[in-house]
Amino acid sequence: MSQEFLPDDNLSERPNDKSAASEQEVVQITVVGSRKAVLETIHTLYRLGFAAVGDWSPPQRGPKLGQVISVLIRRSGKA
């Protein structure tokens, strides 16, 4: 198993940053591909209970011709 995906306890807390406890964690999930593939992926994730379709950004022009990008941003309190 790749070690880079395991939590690093030394990096997870910032004891000198008093505002860290009140900040929210932000996670951004990006789907990039053809418009059809992006919309199918968003609908699949909805059926799996991951996120509502309306939680995703509207598809925007992607980095390559024929691609679009849609982004989901999740915010949660620090654990």
Side-chain angles (χ1 to χ4, degrees):
M1 180 175 181
S2 181
Q3 295 298 313
E4 68 250 16
F5 293 106
L6 297 176
D8 183 349
D9 291 333
N10 296 331
L11 297 176
S12 63
E13 296 294 324
R14 297 178 287 178
N16 296 330
D17 186 356
K18 294 184 190 292
S19 65
S22 64
E23 290 180 12
Q24 292 182 330
E25 291 286 336
V26 177
V27 175
Q28 180 175 310
I29 297 105
T30 305
V31 180
V32 181
S34 70
R35 182 176 185 83
K36 179 181 177 191
V38 167
L39 294 176
E40 285 178 1
T41 300
I42 290 170
H43 285 102
T44 298
L45 292 171
Y46 167 72
R47 285 191 301 275
L48 293 172
F50 183 75
V53 173
D55 291 347
W56 292 85
S57 70
Q60 302 293 317
R61 188 176 324 156
K64 295 182 180 178
L65 186 62
Q67 286 187 335
V68 298
I69 294 176
S70 187
V71 177
L72 172 71
I73 297 175
R74 291 263 173 107
R75 292 177 178 86
S76 63
K78 287 193 68 95

